[in-house]
Amino acid sequence: MPIRLCEVLSLKSLAVPALAACLLLCGAVQGIAAGISQFAGEYSGSVDVVKTDGDTDPRDMSVIIHEMKKGFTIKWTSTTEKDDGRKKTKTYEIEFQQSGRNGVYSAAMTRNVFGHAVPLNPMEGEPFVWGRLTGETLTVFSLFIHPNGDYEMQQYDRTLADGGLDLVYISRLNGEPRRRLETFLAKQ
Protein backbone atom coordinates (compact mmCIF):
# COMPACT_ATOMS: atom_id res chain seq x y z
CA MET A 1 0.00 0.00 0.00
CA PRO A 2 1.62 3.29 -1.07
CA ILE A 3 2.18 6.13 1.44
CA ARG A 4 0.45 9.30 0.48
CA LEU A 5 2.17 12.70 0.51
CA CYS A 6 -0.14 13.99 3.30
CA GLU A 7 0.93 11.04 5.54
CA VAL A 8 4.63 11.88 4.97
CA LEU A 9 4.02 15.53 5.84
CA SER A 10 2.11 14.45 8.95
CA LEU A 11 5.03 12.25 10.10
CA LYS A 12 7.49 15.11 9.51
CA SER A 13 5.31 17.49 11.51
CA LEU A 14 5.41 15.06 14.43
CA ALA A 15 9.17 14.45 14.18
CA VAL A 16 10.19 18.09 14.60
CA PRO A 17 8.33 18.68 17.90
CA ALA A 18 9.47 15.29 19.23
CA LEU A 19 13.10 16.13 18.39
CA ALA A 20 12.74 19.57 19.98
CA ALA A 21 11.25 18.06 23.16
CA CYS A 22 14.09 15.55 23.34
CA LEU A 23 16.71 18.30 22.97
CA LEU A 24 15.00 20.42 25.64
CA LEU A 25 14.87 17.47 28.03
CA CYS A 26 18.55 16.66 27.47
CA GLY A 27 19.44 20.32 27.96
CA ALA A 28 17.41 20.48 31.18
CA VAL A 29 19.17 17.41 32.60
CA GLN A 30 22.57 18.86 31.68
CA GLY A 31 21.50 22.23 33.10
CA ILE A 32 20.75 20.65 36.48
CA ALA A 33 24.19 19.03 36.61
CA ALA A 34 25.86 22.20 35.36
CA GLY A 35 23.90 24.17 37.97
CA ILE A 36 25.34 22.14 40.84
CA SER A 37 28.85 22.39 39.38
CA GLN A 38 28.61 26.20 39.56
CA PHE A 39 28.35 25.93 43.36
CA ALA A 40 31.25 23.51 43.83
CA GLY A 41 34.06 24.92 45.93
CA GLU A 42 35.05 26.20 49.36
CA TYR A 43 33.62 29.39 50.83
CA SER A 44 34.07 31.28 54.09
CA GLY A 45 32.85 34.40 55.85
CA SER A 46 31.47 35.68 59.14
CA VAL A 47 28.30 37.16 60.59
CA ASP A 48 27.30 38.87 63.84
CA VAL A 49 24.44 36.99 65.52
CA VAL A 50 22.23 39.32 67.57
CA LYS A 51 21.16 37.67 70.83
CA THR A 52 17.86 38.33 72.62
CA ASP A 53 19.58 40.77 75.01
CA GLY A 54 20.86 42.82 72.06
CA ASP A 55 24.47 41.70 72.44
CA THR A 56 26.18 40.18 69.41
CA ASP A 57 28.18 37.00 68.94
CA PRO A 58 30.58 36.96 66.01
CA ARG A 59 30.36 33.68 64.09
CA ASP A 60 32.80 32.37 61.50
CA MET A 61 31.16 30.30 58.79
CA SER A 62 32.46 28.06 56.05
CA VAL A 63 30.91 25.71 53.52
CA ILE A 64 32.32 23.15 51.11
CA ILE A 65 30.13 22.01 48.22
CA HIS A 66 31.31 18.98 46.29
CA GLU A 67 29.63 17.69 43.13
CA MET A 68 29.09 13.94 42.84
CA LYS A 69 27.91 11.71 40.01
CA LYS A 70 24.27 11.67 41.14
CA GLY A 71 24.12 14.66 43.45
CA PHE A 72 26.39 16.61 45.77
CA THR A 73 27.63 16.96 49.34
CA ILE A 74 27.56 20.02 51.55
CA LYS A 75 29.75 20.40 54.61
CA TRP A 76 29.28 23.52 56.68
CA THR A 77 30.92 24.72 59.86
CA SER A 78 30.12 27.57 62.21
CA THR A 79 32.41 28.70 65.00
CA THR A 80 31.28 31.02 67.80
CA GLU A 81 33.71 32.63 70.21
CA LYS A 82 32.35 32.90 73.75
CA ASP A 83 32.95 35.92 76.01
CA ASP A 84 35.55 33.95 77.98
CA GLY A 85 37.54 33.13 74.82
CA ARG A 86 36.32 29.56 74.34
CA LYS A 87 35.27 28.58 70.83
CA LYS A 88 32.27 26.43 70.03
CA THR A 89 32.35 24.73 66.63
CA LYS A 90 29.52 22.86 64.91
CA THR A 91 30.06 20.93 61.68
CA TYR A 92 27.47 19.17 59.52
CA GLU A 93 28.01 17.14 56.36
CA ILE A 94 25.17 15.83 54.23
CA GLU A 95 25.07 13.91 50.97
CA PHE A 96 22.24 14.82 48.60
CA GLN A 97 20.99 12.51 45.85
CA GLN A 98 18.75 13.16 42.88
CA SER A 99 15.15 12.55 43.90
CA GLY A 100 13.53 12.03 40.53
CA ARG A 101 12.03 15.54 40.72
CA ASN A 102 13.64 18.28 38.68
CA GLY A 103 16.03 20.26 40.90
CA VAL A 104 14.99 18.52 44.16
CA TYR A 105 17.47 16.39 46.12
CA SER A 106 16.89 14.00 49.01
CA ALA A 107 19.34 13.85 51.89
CA ALA A 108 21.13 10.54 52.33
CA MET A 109 22.01 10.76 56.01
CA THR A 110 21.80 7.14 57.14
CA ARG A 111 21.68 3.60 55.71
CA ASN A 112 18.67 1.30 55.76
CA VAL A 113 18.84 -2.48 56.35
CA PHE A 114 19.64 -2.98 52.66
CA GLY A 115 22.58 -0.55 52.75
CA HIS A 116 20.82 2.17 50.75
CA ALA A 117 21.29 5.80 51.76
CA VAL A 118 18.03 7.26 53.09
CA PRO A 119 16.79 10.35 54.98
CA LEU A 120 16.54 10.42 58.77
CA ASN A 121 13.22 9.95 60.59
CA PRO A 122 11.70 13.23 61.89
CA MET A 123 9.27 11.34 64.14
CA GLU A 124 12.31 10.05 66.05
CA GLY A 125 13.57 13.59 66.72
CA GLU A 126 15.94 13.50 63.74
CA PRO A 127 15.92 16.25 61.09
CA PHE A 128 14.25 15.62 57.73
CA VAL A 129 16.50 17.37 55.19
CA TRP A 130 16.22 18.03 51.47
CA GLY A 131 17.76 20.35 48.90
CA ARG A 132 16.50 22.37 45.97
CA LEU A 133 18.23 24.06 43.06
CA THR A 134 16.31 26.95 41.50
CA GLY A 135 18.21 29.20 39.14
CA GLU A 136 21.26 30.55 40.94
CA THR A 137 20.11 29.53 44.43
CA LEU A 138 20.87 26.26 46.18
CA THR A 139 18.58 25.80 49.19
CA VAL A 140 18.81 23.28 52.02
CA PHE A 141 15.71 22.77 54.19
CA SER A 142 15.66 21.03 57.59
CA LEU A 143 12.47 20.03 59.40
CA PHE A 144 12.59 19.16 63.11
CA ILE A 145 9.57 17.83 65.02
CA HIS A 146 9.81 18.59 68.74
CA PRO A 147 8.62 16.05 71.36
CA ASN A 148 5.45 18.13 71.97
CA GLY A 149 4.62 18.20 68.23
CA ASP A 150 5.89 21.71 67.53
CA TYR A 151 7.94 21.97 64.35
CA GLU A 152 10.98 23.98 63.42
CA MET A 153 12.03 24.76 59.87
CA GLN A 154 15.51 25.93 58.94
CA GLN A 155 16.29 27.22 55.47
CA TYR A 156 19.74 27.94 54.05
CA ASP A 157 19.67 29.83 50.74
CA ARG A 158 23.07 29.98 49.03
CA THR A 159 22.91 32.23 45.96
CA LEU A 160 25.73 32.65 43.46
CA ALA A 161 27.31 36.11 43.66
CA ASP A 162 30.48 37.74 42.31
CA GLY A 163 33.36 36.09 44.15
CA GLY A 164 31.27 33.70 46.24
CA LEU A 165 27.84 33.06 47.71
CA ASP A 166 25.21 35.20 49.40
CA LEU A 167 23.92 33.18 52.37
CA VAL A 168 20.51 33.77 53.93
CA TYR A 169 19.54 31.59 56.91
CA ILE A 170 15.97 31.62 58.21
CA SER A 171 14.65 29.71 61.23
CA ARG A 172 10.92 29.37 61.99
CA LEU A 173 9.07 27.75 64.90
CA ASN A 174 5.52 26.66 64.01
CA GLY A 175 5.72 28.99 61.02
CA GLU A 176 6.72 32.06 63.03
CA PRO A 177 10.12 33.64 62.23
CA ARG A 178 12.76 33.15 64.96
CA ARG A 179 16.05 34.16 63.40
CA ARG A 180 17.36 35.52 60.13
CA LEU A 181 21.05 35.81 59.24
CA GLU A 182 22.57 37.21 56.06
CA THR A 183 26.22 37.23 55.02
CA PHE A 184 28.57 36.86 52.10
CA LEU A 185 30.81 33.81 51.82
CA ALA A 186 33.93 34.40 49.71
CA LYS A 187 35.11 31.63 47.41
CA GLN A 188 38.55 30.35 48.49
Side-chain angles (χ1 to χ4, degrees), residues 5-82:
L5 180 58
C6 64
E7 290 173 347
V8 171
L9 290 175
S10 177
L11 289 175
K12 283 184 180 180
S13 66
L14 290 175
V16 171
L19 179 61
C22 182
L23 291 173
L24 282 173
L25 180 60
C26 290
V29 169
Q30 288 176 345
I32 291 169
I36 291 296
S37 66
Q38 294 178 53
F39 291 89
E42 297 184 28
Y43 305 86
S44 64
S46 62
V47 67
D48 287 330
V49 178
V50 179
K51 299 188 298 188
T52 54
D53 64 3
D55 196 14
T56 59
D57 276 338
R59 185 173 294 178
D60 292 328
M61 307 175 88
S62 66
V63 64
I64 300 171
I65 302 172
H66 176 72
E67 182 179 17
M68 297 176 11
K69 186 175 181 180
K70 293 185 179 182
F72 59 96
T73 61
I74 294 182
K75 179 179 181 179
W76 69 97
T77 301
S78 65
T79 302
T80 305
E81 187 170 338
K82 301 295 182 182

Side-chain angles (χ1 to χ4, degrees), residues 5 10 36 91 134 139 148 177:
L5 180 58
S10 177
I36 291 296
T91 299
T134 52
T139 302
N148 68 352

Side-chain angles (χ1 to χ4, degrees), residues 96-165:
F96 292 87
Q97 299 176 344
Q98 296 171 351
S99 70
R101 293 181 172 186
N102 188 13
V104 179
Y105 296 84
S106 62
M109 297 174 68
T110 191
R111 301 273 175 199
N112 66 14
V113 294
F114 303 107
H116 297 103
V118 295
L120 296 175
N121 183 352
M123 296 310 289
E124 295 293 325
E126 302 168 330
F128 184 78
V129 181
W130 70 99
R132 174 181 70 188
L133 176 61
T134 52
E136 295 188 336
T137 301
L138 177 60
T139 302
V140 173
F141 298 97
S142 298
L143 169 67
F144 300 87
I145 300 174
H146 295 260
N148 68 352
D150 286 350
Y151 72 94
E152 182 178 342
M153 283 289 304
Q154 295 180 357
Q155 179 175 339
Y156 295 84
D157 290 325
R158 295 174 177 96
T159 303
L160 295 171
D162 286 339
L165 299 172

